[in-house]
Amino acid sequence: MEFNEVSPMATALIAPDEPALPHGCTFAPKDWAILAQHWYPVALAREVGEAPLKAKLLDQPLVLYRAQGGIVIAPDRCPHRGVPLSMGRANGQGVECPYHGLTFGAAGRCVHIPAQPQRSIPAQFHLATYPAVERFGLVWTCLDPAAGEPGPDAIIAVPHWDEPGFQQIVCPWIDIHGSAGRQMEGFLDVAHFAFIHTESFADPDNAQVPDYRPRRTLQGFEAEYWSNVANYPKGVDKAPAGFRWLRHFRCHAPFTATLEVHFPGSDRLVILNAASPMSATQTRLFVPIARNFDTDQPVQGVYDFNRQVFEEDKAMVEAQWPARLPLEPTAEAHLAADMSSMFYRRALRDMGLSGG
């Protein structure tokens, strides 16, 4: 399977066209139905092996594993007696349920039932699977796909990712006890640098936000924001005097965005912010990065700096109330610096969502 292709084996059994709400769903039914049509990362590609891996998306528990070259994503329950398959193990043929030893292999098909090994296996013992796509070092899925594979615009594009000279760095994920909409809005916000990121890169005496104007796109909006706030780690100053930094945001609603930072010269840093909603108030944040400078340096330094920045944001997201992003225009006050936030909230409203 090519890196960016859908595995035909992993998508052979697709979940029902109109999936039922997960047990204990924390979303409004209408919001869940809308969000379930979109694509989200649920794991780092390097995490997924032959052993079962537990994940959750939109309150739906999931199990992931590799079998015969393809990735299987399925509800995390054995169709026999409902035990989570993530409690099982790899046995060389697939994932073995810990309760009665049923084994599930490629495409989620049950390949062995120890209690009746000579009998044919009925169809109801096979797993109903979701599509799986590997992209940007992540495994993406959709709980209610319109087709077996995403269209060209279903998953966000990441500038420069595959270009020569760019290094791809897939940082460890970060769990946030807050909504995906709140986290996304914080990523797009340009007025908080001087107050939240003073220990990582920002200047506490440089809080003014120059005017900027987002532009609507088919997937959301984009905004080019120019300022003299540097993007180097604290204590590092490589920019010439008076250098103006360009931060180019591209938002792909509902919960993904990229930030391309123009460093001095031709140096570029691209950050993918993929907020995967485990529930209405729990988010797993995935942050792949591409850069064309310092490519000979250990990636651990990038991991550490990235976590520092997003942990600073996390503290605010987890403290915000209401926990879900309010979309009613008059629900919260707005500054001129909040243009990206207002465009983002409008994009979510246009999708038909009641909250983010």
Side-chain angles (χ1 to χ4, degrees):
M1 181 183 72
E2 294 297 325
F3 186 70
N4 286 344
E5 291 182 349
V6 179
S7 165
M9 304 188 73
T11 59
L13 299 176
I14 302 300
D17 291 337
E18 296 183 0
L21 290 176
H23 178 71
C25 184
T26 58
F27 296 89
K30 181 183 175 183
D31 285 356
W32 190 93
I34 293 170
L35 294 173
Q37 299 174 32
H38 294 270
W39 288 76
Y40 310 93
V42 290
L44 307 179
R46 65 175 179 258
E47 290 182 295
V48 184
E50 294 182 356
L53 177 69
K54 184 176 183 178
K56 185 167 75 169
L57 176 62
L58 298 174
D59 292 306
Q60 173 62 60
L62 300 173
V63 63
L64 291 77
Y65 63 92
R66 293 184 188 268
Q68 297 184 19
I71 293 179
V72 176
I73 304 178
D76 189 15
R77 62 179 299 272
C78 178
H80 176 226
R81 288 295 181 266
V83 170
L85 292 175
S86 58
M87 294 175 61
R89 65 183 184 92
N91 64 9
Q93 293 180 295
V95 168
E96 180 181 287
C97 176
Y99 198 7
H100 296 93
L102 279 69
T103 297
F104 302 89
R109 294 188 176 276
C110 183
V111 297
H112 182 56
I113 301 179
Q116 49 186 52
Q118 305 305 320
R119 295 187 180 184
S120 61
I121 298 175
Q124 62 263 38
F125 283 88
H126 302 316
L127 302 178
T129 64
Y130 301 106
V133 172
E134 289 188 56
R135 197 166 296 174
F136 314 127
L138 308 176
V139 178
W140 301 69
T141 196
C142 175
L143 298 186
D144 188 15
E149 61 181 287
D153 299 321
I155 295 177
I156 191 172
V158 177
H160 307 300
W161 183 265
D162 292 317
E163 291 183 13
F166 276 82
Q167 177 188 26
Q168 297 83 29
I169 304 172
V170 184
C171 299
W173 43 259
I174 300 170
D175 278 347
I176 299 171
H177 296 290
S179 73
R182 285 290 198 187
Q183 192 284 324
M184 268 286 296
E185 185 178 67
F187 179 75
L188 299 166
D189 184 280
V190 294
H192 72 287
F193 295 167
F195 304 95
I196 304 304
H197 298 305
T198 55
E199 296 299 319
S200 52
F201 68 87
D203 180 358
D205 297 321
N206 187 358
Q208 184 174 354
V209 176
D211 290 339
Y212 69 101
R213 181 71 183 178
R215 301 181 298 277
R216 294 191 68 177
T217 63
L218 290 176
Q219 290 78 36
F221 72 90
E222 62 180 310
E224 293 184 348
Y225 172 65
W226 294 85
S227 78
N228 58 3
V229 176
N231 215 92
Y232 290 117
K234 202 73 174 178
V236 177
D237 186 8
K238 300 180 182 179
F243 182 76
R244 295 181 70 226
W245 293 78
L246 170 59
R247 292 176 172 87
H248 189 168
F249 293 90
R250 297 173 176 90
C251 175
H252 190 294
F255 303 134
T256 52
T258 60
L259 168 59
E260 180 177 359
V261 183
H262 292 238
F263 281 68
S266 60
D267 290 353
R268 299 290 182 269
L269 172 72
V270 181
I271 303 170
L272 168 59
N273 186 98
S276 186
M278 295 190 292
S279 74
T281 57
Q282 291 179 296
T283 302
R284 179 156 291 180
L285 178 63
F286 296 90
V287 191
I289 291 173
R291 66 179 182 180
N292 64 347
F293 59 93
D294 292 341
T295 57
D296 59 339
Q297 299 300 308
V299 298
Q300 187 61 49
V302 179
Y303 290 170
D304 295 342
F305 182 68
N306 180 76
R307 179 165 288 277
Q308 179 185 3
V309 172
F310 281 97
E311 288 283 353
E312 291 167 348
D313 288 321
K314 172 181 173 176
M316 293 298 100
V317 174
E318 294 185 339
Q320 286 178 289
W321 185 259
R324 296 189 65 188
L325 180 68
L327 301 186
E328 175 61 38
T330 60
E332 294 181 327
H334 305 286
L335 305 169
D338 296 326
M339 290 300 298
S340 286
S341 171
M342 289 185 277
F343 270 69
Y344 176 56
R345 294 185 184 200
R346 173 64 183 273
L348 296 185
R349 290 199 303 272
D350 288 346
M351 293 173 63
L353 295 171
S354 62

